[in-house]
Amino acid sequence: QVQLVESGGGLVQAGGSLRLSCAASGRIFGNYAMGWFRRAPGKERDFVARITWTGSSTYYAASVKGRFTIAKDNAKNTVYLQMNSLKPEDTAVYYCAAGPITVTEWNCNSWGQGTQVTVSS
């Protein structure tokens, strides 16, 4: 398994920006994807974005597309989530995830501890 440590959360005003980082340790295989989920208070955990470890194919939730950008640095084993034009509804605990991905599913078998993002109106 891969160990994941998130950083970069915080408090920001609506319209502002934050960048989350997820540093991975352990072996990341070529068929892996890494990405982000979030859980808002009282809600289910939702998918946010992912990127494949080779090829850099990206996929976003409709709610963040055009505002969030996921990127990676293979040399640093780190994935980033640049969040722009933040809205109060983006307030959540953000979790980094990693695992093998196929055409039909992404098996997230490693999770970070989460980092809080709070957007004030």
Side-chain angles (χ1 to χ4, degrees), residues 1 11 20 23 28 39 45 48 55 59 64-65 76 79 100:
Q1 272 194 337
L11 173 64
L20 305 183
I28 302 174
R39 188 193 301 271
R45 185 173 61 195
V48 175
Y59 184 70
V64 307
K65 196 170 185 179
K76 296 182 178 179
V79 170

Side-chain angles (χ1 to χ4, degrees), residues 22-47:
C22 175
S25 59
R27 186 172 179 182
I28 302 174
F29 294 94
N31 64 336
Y32 268 46
M34 289 184 64
W36 298 87
F37 289 75
R38 66 186 182 186
R39 188 193 301 271
K43 295 189 177 181
E44 298 289 320
R45 185 173 61 195
D46 290 330
F47 166 78

Side-chain angles (χ1 to χ4, degrees), residues 7 12 17 21 35 44 71 79 82 84-85 88 99 101 109 111 117 120:
S7 61
V12 65
S17 299
S21 299
E44 298 289 320
V79 170
Q82 178 66 43
N84 298 329
S85 302
I101 187 169
N109 55 18
W111 292 87
V117 171
S120 63

Side-chain angles (χ1 to χ4, degrees), residues 51-100:
I51 186 167
T52 55
W53 200 244
T54 58
S56 298
S57 174
T58 59
Y59 184 70
Y60 297 90
S63 59
V64 307
K65 196 170 185 179
R67 300 187 298 123
F68 291 10
T69 302
I70 190 168
K72 63 182 174 68
D73 185 333
N74 289 56
K76 296 182 178 179
N77 272 12
T78 300
V79 170
Y80 305 96
L81 185 68
Q82 178 66 43
M83 305 185 294
N84 298 329
S85 302
L86 283 161
K87 305 174 181 179
E89 51 263 44
D90 294 317
T91 295
V93 177
Y94 283 69
Y95 298 91
C96 182

